[in-house]
């Protein structure tokens, strides 16, 4: 077999392949033309080499991202980066368009066949991808459940028609230009372009898979921590409520003291303080501290300082934020990568009841404004509402975390 290919032995074949991978131009013209690596990569399928097919796939991944992001940005009114990956590519479009060209390019003049291939092929691919994502990650990035003639939100009639129309558009207008771009490329050009694109794409895809698996694990932990989350919410809200009450009482007594000092002098004001007028407010604060200590089980005593109370509150809020992220002491908070996956795809759905809570945490606080930025000018109750629920009674969005 090796003699027919121009090689004296298997060793000669192997050394030629290795030398070609390292430096194709260093080979003699005769050897380079017979290199098995190049022969495989330049092997034609339906008139295109494997290197050309790889360029087609990546081109349609990028064009699919442009189309999807433009449509969703137009629909939502702000820029959107759609897709499973973070980079400018959507593998679903790349796979669908490449399979379409592979199947119907020789019959591209038969428009009914092209439309039906896109209609059924695109729908089948979308259904398979949705089912696979649900199985692997317990979520998927789109939902057609609000559209008529849908199948469990995975596919719908309107999307199927769109796939058919898109198939006609690709074969008539898009692919002739895509084909022309790489028609006269040299082998070295294909190698350089493919290496750059696929290095970035594979890194992005692998990181996104790990990010989606992390979200899946967080969904499970969030469901398991629901009782502790509710308990912490109630405890923190009670702290702020009691502090607001104590603050109001102290302010009222301070105002009474100032008025008494103006009207009857400092001695009368001192007697009022000694008579427990302000002692009631102090008792209120101490009672609040005791109640919080009993409820949280952290042993807070009436004698603890205000600094100690604030430290305790920060610990409770940190624990709450961790649990709301679906995190644990080992996994920590949700990573930027995982969080951005949910922010880029607000239409994502899951069969898990905890998914809505996880998505709300990821979406929260993208545009913090005004006094809600740090909570410093908010009342205790308003700040508690923002930390616990993401909004105040007025419905303004807040943030429970540093993003």
């Amino acid at each position: 077999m090796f003699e027919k290919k121009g090689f004296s032995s298997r060793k000669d074949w192997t050394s030629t392949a290795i030398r070609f991978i390292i430096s194709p131009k260093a080979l003699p013209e005769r050897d380079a033309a017979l290199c098995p690596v190049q022969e495989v990569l330049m092997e034609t399928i339906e008139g295109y080499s494997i290197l050309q097919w790889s360029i087609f796939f990546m081109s349609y991944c990028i064009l699919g991202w442009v189309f999807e992001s433009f449509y969703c940005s137009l629909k939502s009114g702000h820029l959107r980066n759609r897709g499973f990956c973070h980079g400018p590519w959507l593998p679903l479009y790349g796979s669908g368009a490449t399979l379409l060209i592979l199947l119907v390019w020789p019959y591209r003049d038969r428009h009914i066949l092209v439309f039906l291939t896109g209609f059924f092929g695109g729908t089948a691919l979308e259904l398979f991808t949705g089912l696979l994502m649900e199985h692997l990650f317990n979520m998927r990035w789109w939902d057609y459940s609000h559209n008529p003639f849908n199948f469990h939100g995975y596919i719908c009639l309107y999307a199927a028609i769109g796939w058919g129309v898109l198939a006609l558009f690709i074969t008539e207008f898009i692919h002739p230009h895509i084909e022309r771009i790489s028609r006269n490329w040299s082998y070295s050009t294909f190698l350089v372009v493919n290496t750059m694109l696929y290095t970035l794409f594979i890194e992005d895809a692998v990181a996104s898979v790990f990010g989606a698996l992390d979200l899946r694990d967080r969904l499970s932990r969030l469901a398991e921590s629901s009782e502790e989350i509710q308990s912490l919410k109630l405890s923190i809200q009670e702290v702020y409520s009691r502090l607001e009450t104590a603050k109001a009482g102290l302010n009222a007594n301070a105002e009474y003291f100032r008025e008494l000092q103006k009207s009857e002098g400092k001695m009368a004001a001192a007697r009022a303080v000694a008579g427990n007028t302000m002692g009631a407010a102090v008792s209120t604060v101490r009672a609040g501290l005791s109640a919080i200590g009993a409820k949280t089980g952290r042993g807070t005593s009436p004698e603890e300082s205000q600094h100690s109370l604030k430290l305790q509150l920060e610990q409770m809020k940190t624990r709450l934020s961790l649990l709301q992220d679906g995190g644990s002491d080992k996994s920590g908070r949700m990573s930027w990568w995982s969080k951005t996956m949910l922010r880029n795809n607000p239409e994502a759905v899951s069969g898990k009841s905890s998914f809505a809570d996880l998505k709300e945490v990821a979406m929260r606080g993208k545009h913090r404004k005004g006094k809600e930025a740090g909570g410093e000018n908010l009342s205790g109750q308003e700040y508690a509402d923002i930390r616990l629920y993401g909004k105040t009674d007025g419905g303004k969005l807040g943030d429970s975390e540093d993003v």
Side-chain angles (χ1 to χ4, degrees), residues 102-145:
L102 185 64
L103 293 173
V104 305
W105 187 244
Y107 316 102
R108 55 189 177 276
D109 294 330
R110 301 171 62 178
H111 294 161
I112 297 297
L113 176 62
V114 173
F115 176 84
L116 292 177
T117 302
F119 183 95
F120 291 106
T123 301
L125 181 62
E126 193 169 34
L127 176 61
F128 171 77
T129 305
L131 291 171
L132 183 64
M133 293 186 73
E134 285 275 11
H135 177 72
L136 293 177
F137 311 126
N138 290 330
M139 67 189 84
R140 68 177 186 275
W141 268 206
W142 65 90
D143 180 29
Y144 295 131
S145 59

Side-chain angles (χ1 to χ4, degrees), residues 55-341:
I55 289 293
F56 294 162
F57 171 78
M58 189 55 64
S59 299
Y60 287 116
C61 283
I62 295 173
L63 288 175
W65 174 83
V66 171
F67 167 75
E68 190 82 11
S69 296
F70 176 78
Y71 171 75
C72 292
S73 298
L74 199 63
K75 187 177 177 181
S76 62
H78 57 84
L79 291 177
R80 294 272 299 279
N81 176 20
R82 279 282 290 161
F84 180 76
C85 299
H86 284 60
W89 28 63
L90 282 175
L92 179 63
Y93 282 83
S95 303
T98 303
L99 288 173
L100 174 73
I101 298 302
L102 185 64
L103 293 173
V104 305
W105 187 244
Y107 316 102
R108 55 189 177 276
D109 294 330
R110 301 171 62 178
H111 294 161
I112 297 297
L113 176 62
V114 173
F115 176 84
L116 292 177
T117 302
F119 183 95
F120 291 106
T123 301
L125 181 62
E126 193 169 34
L127 176 61
F128 171 77
T129 305
L131 291 171
L132 183 64
M133 293 186 73
E134 285 275 11
H135 177 72
L136 293 177
F137 311 126
N138 290 330
M139 67 189 84
R140 68 177 186 275
W141 268 206
W142 65 90
D143 180 29
Y144 295 131
S145 59
H146 299 296
N147 294 352
F149 308 108
N150 75 86
F151 177 73
H152 299 295
Y154 293 96
I155 55 177
C156 73
L157 179 61
Y158 294 162
I161 295 173
W163 287 118
V165 173
L166 188 60
L168 289 170
F169 190 75
I170 288 173
T171 55
E172 288 294 316
F173 303 104
I174 302 297
H175 189 69
H177 296 285
I178 297 295
E179 176 194 33
R180 194 176 301 115
I181 291 173
S182 61
R183 181 181 299 167
N184 297 319
W185 283 7
S186 66
Y187 177 81
S188 299
T189 304
F190 275 114
L191 210 58
V192 170
V193 173
N194 276 309
T195 299
M196 290 191 301
L197 288 176
Y198 279 91
T199 298
L200 296 173
F201 172 73
I202 291 173
E203 288 180 353
D204 191 349
V206 170
S208 296
V209 167
F210 279 108
L213 291 173
D214 176 63
L215 290 174
R216 181 196 64 183
D217 296 338
R218 289 180 181 277
L219 283 176
S220 300
R221 287 194 293 265
L222 187 58
E224 295 170 359
S225 305
S226 59
E227 291 186 6
E228 184 179 357
I229 289 174
Q230 293 303 320
S231 177
L232 282 170
K233 283 182 176 182
L234 292 174
S235 298
I236 295 173
Q237 196 168 25
E238 184 175 347
V239 169
Y240 283 113
S241 178
R242 288 182 178 275
L243 285 176
E244 282 294 308
T245 302
K247 181 180 178 181
L250 288 172
N251 289 337
N253 281 282
E255 183 64 27
Y256 172 78
F257 173 76
R258 285 192 292 270
E259 292 297 327
L260 187 64
Q261 183 180 5
K262 289 179 181 179
S263 60
E264 301 186 22
K266 295 182 179 179
M267 292 300 297
R271 285 195 298 271
V273 172
N276 252 352
T277 303
M278 295 189 70
V282 176
S283 299
T284 303
V285 175
R286 290 189 171 184
L289 291 171
S290 300
I292 299 305
K295 188 171 186 62
T296 60
R298 296 177 182 262
T300 305
S301 64
E303 289 75 23
E304 283 186 301
S305 65
Q306 185 179 11
H307 174 75
S308 177
L309 175 63
K310 288 182 178 180
L311 180 62
Q312 180 184 347
L313 287 175
E314 284 303 316
Q315 291 173 347
M316 293 167 64
K317 289 186 287 186
T318 300
R319 177 65 178 171
L320 177 62
S321 296
L322 178 65
L323 295 178
Q324 287 180 322
D325 264 6
S328 64
D329 295 331
K330 183 178 180 180
S331 66
R333 300 287 300 277
M334 195 188 314
S335 67
W336 172 87
W337 195 277
S338 300
K339 193 181 299 181
T340 306
M341 292 180 75

